[in-house]
Amino acid sequence: MKTKLITTLLLAAGLLFTTAVRAELVIQIDGDVDPDEGTRILVAPFGEQAKIIEADLRRSGRFALIDPARAGQPLQMGQPLNAEALRTSGAQYVVLGRQTGSLDFEIVKVDDGQRVGSFRIPPHPSPRRMGHKAADQIFQKLTGIRGAFDTRIAYVSASGAARNQTYQLIVSDSDGFNPRTIVSSRKPVMSPSWSPDARQLAYVSYESGRPVVYVQDLASGGKRAVSDPNKSSISPAWSPDGRSIAMSVSNRGDYDIYVASAGGGGLRQITNTRGIDAEPQWANASTLIFTSDRGGQPQLYQTSAGGGEGSRMSFSGSYNAGASVAGNSLAMVRQNGGAFRIAVKNAATGEERTVSRGTLDESPALAPNGTMVLYATDANTRGSLAIASDNGKAHQMLYSQAGDVRDPAWSPYLD
Amino acid sequence: MNINTLAISLLMSAVLATGCAQQGGSASGGTIGAGGTGSSTGDSGYNNGSGYNNGGYNNYGAGNGQYNPADLKNPASILSQRVIYFDYDRSDIKPEYVNILNAHSSLLAAYPNLRVRLEGHADERGSREYNVALSERRGYSVLDYMQIKGARSTQMDVIGYGEEIPAAFGHNEAAWGKNRRVEIKYPGE
């Protein structure tokens, strides 16, 4: 009885705080891997989840999708394959699958007809998530890198006339499907940051009249302020252990980096310089990367999470800001001439690449495996999201018909 | 008829402003009378010229009568101008806006209980977070200037909105120039 009541209350709370959004993001593919540059893979048309797998692999910039019509045969799991016809299709690998309650699938190498992997995704309330989980398995098997398709993103949508907009904080699957509005306000909302367990979001809201950092639980909708309500505080970033939130706090327009307890309070000052220190990110449990204009133009600096002014770490380009870190990958906004674009640097090899193509690209958010970067851009004068693979080969635009979308954050792995 | 309506509405503004000034029990009693006169003629100190242009803003004494809160609603008054604009990535005040800030400083100096919010904004270039800081810096550069000109820092609050509340949409200098701004907001605005 008691349990039932609690369940009902939780459900009611869930309904209150999870208003469905009418318009999902529309995906437009703007660039793909050339067949001779990526792994050529053919996904048998075994249903909706096969389409999700195709879309995910394509987005990674590592796979060239071969049209299943070119297989020259029906492709059914458990049935013998005509290897010669498959080789003619150009595919190196074939994915065969069967959707029942669970999703069973296998990867076959076309060269020798050998099965290189056989998988089962157990039944899940979200069939789309099952497709993403399958794509994660295929990605890991063929690249050696953990897949990050079964993840979520958070972003901000703004709609309405100039000076009179409505702001929404939205959480969706990594491909923009299943959007849920978790905050709707007439005051600006910005800078979402995921907790490491992906159950809470930190973000900035102006609802009290000035920018304050809040933490909101996604399941219950319950929220609390974690920054001093009397000081403007921006750009929260959750620490890898979930205990702390780095942020940038103003003293008369002079912003410095601070670290607060994720439960609120315990504010510690990390930097103390003239100018703007903002956009902290955790490179690891003890190192913060942030943007500072102390040298004149915004550049990236790093410092100990224990405190310290930090040392400059970005040297190419007159303007580098808005770092996003995942493993060895570092994404940033870089100004090239008049254009702001997203650059991705591999910290292990030192290799850097500009991966975006717009002129006002910003707010990069790396997937937890570092292979894709989600960012904000402009498409036909409308604020849109875009995803680029870290190798710069795959490009997709995610735009909303309801308004501008921007300020994305990519969740950690979900489980 | 129209003039009467205007006069009444201005008078009401003056009454409201008077109430405001009296709340704090400040020494601006003399100003109230002067303000009433100013508003009922539908004119402002600025257009009368004498006070403002002959360096009268070195004299902040209440009852100077240069400006009163009713002038905020008078399109002919310089006080109806509440927005100043900035160059890209800059927070220094451009000379063409000094007169506007001087006028608001004088008003605040004469009405110590009047408060304003200085709302800073930025254009869309640069990161959103950096723009919040930049826009707040613009707000403080207005605050610092107005403090030198006689407004008290306790009368002014600064908020940086970054690029979040554009005054104009568009990805060109025409829109950007309108968005790089500080808006002076009085109570109720």
Side-chain angles (χ1 to χ4, degrees):
Chain A
M1 184 67 173
K2 208 170 186 180
T3 320
K4 203 170 179 183
L5 179 63
I6 290 169
T7 312
T8 313
L9 284 173
L10 284 175
L11 279 173
L15 287 175
L16 273 177
F17 292 107
T18 61
T19 323
V21 185
R22 259 166 286 134
E24 294 188 324
L25 294 177
V26 180
I27 299 171
Q28 171 188 310
I29 293 164
D30 292 333
D32 256 332
V33 179
D34 285 338
D36 55 351
E37 285 184 316
T39 302
R40 295 181 302 281
I41 193 163
L42 188 155
V43 181
F46 55 86
E48 192 55 36
Q49 289 163 347
K51 295 201 181 93
I52 295 169
I53 293 169
E54 278 195 321
D56 284 350
L57 294 178
R58 166 180 272 172
R59 194 175 303 122
S60 75
R62 285 158 172 78
F63 292 89
L65 276 300
I66 304 293
D67 182 353
R70 290 171 61 182
Q73 58 194 301
L75 294 162
Q76 276 168 353
M77 220 163 76
Q79 300 295 313
L81 294 171
N82 176 342
E84 189 50 42
L86 271 183
R87 273 191 285 275
T88 314
S89 76
Q92 296 165 276
Y93 294 93
V94 173
V95 175
L96 304 167
R98 187 167 48 223
Q99 259 181 263
T100 50
S102 56
L103 171 59
D104 297 282
F105 64 99
E106 57 191 29
I107 308 169
V108 175
K109 193 172 184 192
V110 172
D111 255 2
D112 53 13
Q114 291 300 302
R115 201 161 65 182
V116 299
S118 181
F119 309 85
R120 164 170 289 185
I121 307 296
H124 189 279
S126 163
R128 292 199 64 88
R129 276 196 69 181
M130 292 172 69
H132 293 309
K133 284 172 189 289
D136 282 346
Q137 297 290 343
I138 297 165
F139 187 82
Q140 177 152 11
K141 188 73 193 175
L142 297 182
T143 67
I145 303 167
R146 183 174 178 183
F149 304 113
D150 182 31
T151 49
R152 295 213 168 94
I153 58 173
Y155 57 94
V156 175
S157 137
S159 53
R163 294 170 175 278
N164 195 22
Q165 293 192 288
T166 297
Y167 303 84
Q168 292 181 299
L169 180 56
I170 295 169
V171 169
S172 76
D173 294 350
S174 69
D175 56 359
F177 281 80
N178 296 324
R180 283 198 297 143
T181 297
I182 67 153
V183 177
S184 184
S185 175
R186 301 304 307 274
K187 296 286 179 61
V189 174
M190 58 190 296
S191 309
S193 168
W194 290 87
S195 66
D197 65 4
R199 290 181 179 165
Q200 300 179 87
L201 275 179
Y203 60 91
V204 170
S205 166
Y206 280 77
E207 65 185 53
S208 76
R210 68 171 65 252
V212 171
V213 175
Y214 295 86
V215 163
Q216 184 161 328
D217 185 83
L218 292 179
S220 72
K223 69 169 182 181
R224 59 182 189 272
V226 294
S227 72
D228 181 343
N230 298 311
K231 286 185 173 172
S232 293
S233 306
I234 59 172
S235 50
W238 224 297
S239 70
D241 67 5
R243 290 183 191 159
S244 308
I245 294 176
M247 60 182 76
S248 178
V249 181
S250 169
N251 174 24
R252 287 179 51 91
D254 174 353
Y255 277 80
D256 286 308
I257 305 299
Y258 286 71
V259 172
S261 161
L267 202 63
R268 276 191 298 128
Q269 186 164 4
I270 304 299
T271 66
N272 183 12
T273 50
R274 275 176 73 92
I276 297 168
D277 290 352
E279 306 173 328
Q281 288 286 304
W282 298 79
N284 54 50
S286 58
T287 310
L288 289 166
I289 293 175
F290 60 97
T291 309
S292 177
D293 72 345
R294 63 183 69 167
Q297 284 279 304
Q299 292 291 348
L300 299 184
Y301 290 72
Q302 64 182 347
T303 188
S304 160
E309 297 311 325
S311 53
R312 184 167 162 181
M313 59 179 294
S314 61
F315 292 97
S316 35
S318 61
Y319 178 112
N320 290 285
S324 172
V325 185
N328 277 328
S329 297
L330 170 69
M332 68 202 97
V333 182
R334 173 167 297 166
Q335 187 174 15
N336 284 320
F340 293 90
R341 296 214 167 103
I342 308 303
V344 176
K345 177 175 182 169
N346 182 317
T349 64
E351 191 188 2
E352 293 188 19
R353 179 179 282 117
T354 300
V355 299
S356 78
R357 299 161 162 183
T359 53
L360 289 167
D361 301 338
E362 62 181 3
S363 309
L366 284 165
N369 64 6
T371 61
M372 295 172 284
V373 60
L374 178 65
Y375 59 95
T377 187
D378 285 301
N380 307 321
T381 76
R382 163 151 281 181
S384 295
L385 301 181
I387 294 183
S389 57
D390 61 341
N391 59 15
K393 289 176 180 167
H395 295 270
Q396 298 190 356
M397 194 85 80
L398 291 82
Y399 62 91
S400 164
Q401 284 162 329
D404 287 340
V405 287
R406 71 253 192 140
D407 225 349
W410 205 313
S411 83
Y413 297 112
L414 297 184
D415 43 37
Chain B
M1 185 68 167
N2 277 339
I3 293 167
N4 272 342
T5 315
L6 179 66
I8 288 166
S9 71
L10 286 171
L11 195 62
M12 283 180 70
S13 308
V15 169
L16 286 172
T18 303
C20 197
Q22 278 173 338
Q23 269 175 4
S26 70
S28 59
T31 317
I32 295 163
T37 309
S39 62
S40 60
T41 60
D43 210 344
S44 73
Y46 181 62
N47 290 328
N48 288 337
S50 55
Y52 187 71
N53 287 324
N54 66 8
Y57 48 90
N58 287 325
N59 174 12
Y60 300 118
N64 173 286
Q66 204 167 49
Y67 302 109
N68 68 68
D71 292 329
L72 293 166
K73 301 205 167 152
N74 176 4
S77 167
I78 191 170
L79 290 178
S80 68
Q81 296 180 49
R82 319 266 176 85
V83 188
I84 70 162
Y85 298 92
F86 293 81
D87 286 336
Y88 173 59
D89 205 19
R90 299 298 296 264
S91 56
D92 49 316
I93 288 154
K94 298 164 82 170
E96 59 260 48
Y97 301 113
V98 162
N99 286 345
I100 295 175
L101 297 185
N102 288 347
H104 287 281
S105 303
S106 295
L107 179 72
L108 289 169
Y111 292 85
N113 296 308
L114 197 55
R115 291 180 65 92
V116 289
R117 275 191 333 277
L118 305 172
E119 298 183 347
H121 298 270
D123 72 31
E124 63 181 346
R125 291 171 295 170
S127 73
R128 306 194 89 88
E129 285 82 3
Y130 178 81
N131 282 334
V132 170
L134 172 64
S135 66
E136 188 175 327
R137 209 184 249 179
R138 285 175 176 151
Y140 276 106
S141 105
V142 170
L143 181 146
D144 289 342
Y145 180 86
M146 287 175 62
Q147 196 175 356
I148 290 167
K149 292 295 177 184
R152 295 152 189 83
S153 65
T154 50
Q155 290 178 280
M156 299 177 279
D157 212 6
V158 171
I159 311 273
Y161 279 106
E163 60 183 278
E164 307 303 313
I165 306 182
F169 292 136
H171 309 293
N172 47 53
E173 182 52 37
W176 294 333
K178 290 191 180 82
N179 292 333
R180 294 187 301 265
R181 68 201 195 274
V182 168
E183 300 186 2
I184 303 170
K185 295 279 186 79
Y186 284 85
E189 292 179 337

